Amino acid sequence: MLASTSKNYQRMIGRRKLEPNDPPPDLAIETDVTSKTTLDAYVAIAVPELWIYDGEKLRIYLLRDGHYIESDNSPNFPNIPLTQIIAATVELAWQASL
């Protein structure tokens, strides 16, 4: 499933060190709610898919024509309702820790 939509992972298999001309990751996931990276920073390195979890909700962004659009689905995981699963999983984790 992932191999059909990702473009750069095969070039990076077995690499131990990143080089300046390496391609961007196929997917970036940001969960640090205290010091968020701007969308422009991800645009600058052309990350095609970005997930941002803000402590309550997962947002999926897809890079289109040099800017991000919000999406309900991930092209890397097309048949998985990630936004619902992540929210429910985090809620269960909070309940279990009480």
Side-chain angles (χ1 to χ4, degrees):
M1 182 180 348
L2 185 59
S4 66
T5 58
S6 61
K7 299 176 182 173
N8 299 323
Y9 84 98
Q10 289 180 333
R11 286 183 54 194
M12 302 306 291
I13 291 174
R15 297 285 298 278
R16 295 267 194 220
K17 183 179 178 186
L18 295 176
E19 300 295 333
N21 293 326
D22 284 340
D26 296 309
L27 169 67
I29 302 171
E30 181 164 317
T31 60
D32 183 356
V33 296
T34 59
S35 60
K36 296 178 183 176
T37 303
T38 66
L39 291 179
D40 290 338
Y42 292 102
V43 169
I45 59 171
V47 176
E49 183 173 352
L50 171 63
W51 299 357
I52 298 177
Y53 182 73
D54 66 7
E56 295 179 14
K57 181 178 180 182
L58 174 69
R59 297 189 193 301
I60 298 172
Y61 295 96
L62 306 177
L63 188 61
R64 298 289 186 261
D65 299 321
H67 67 278
Y68 283 105
I69 59 166
E70 193 167 349
S71 175
D72 291 330
N73 301 303
S74 165
N76 285 308
F77 303 94
N79 299 316
I80 301 173
L82 292 166
T83 55
Q84 293 88 12
I85 290 171
I86 297 300
T89 302
V90 170
E91 180 60 31
L92 286 172
W94 278 113
Q95 290 175 8
S97 66
L98 296 178

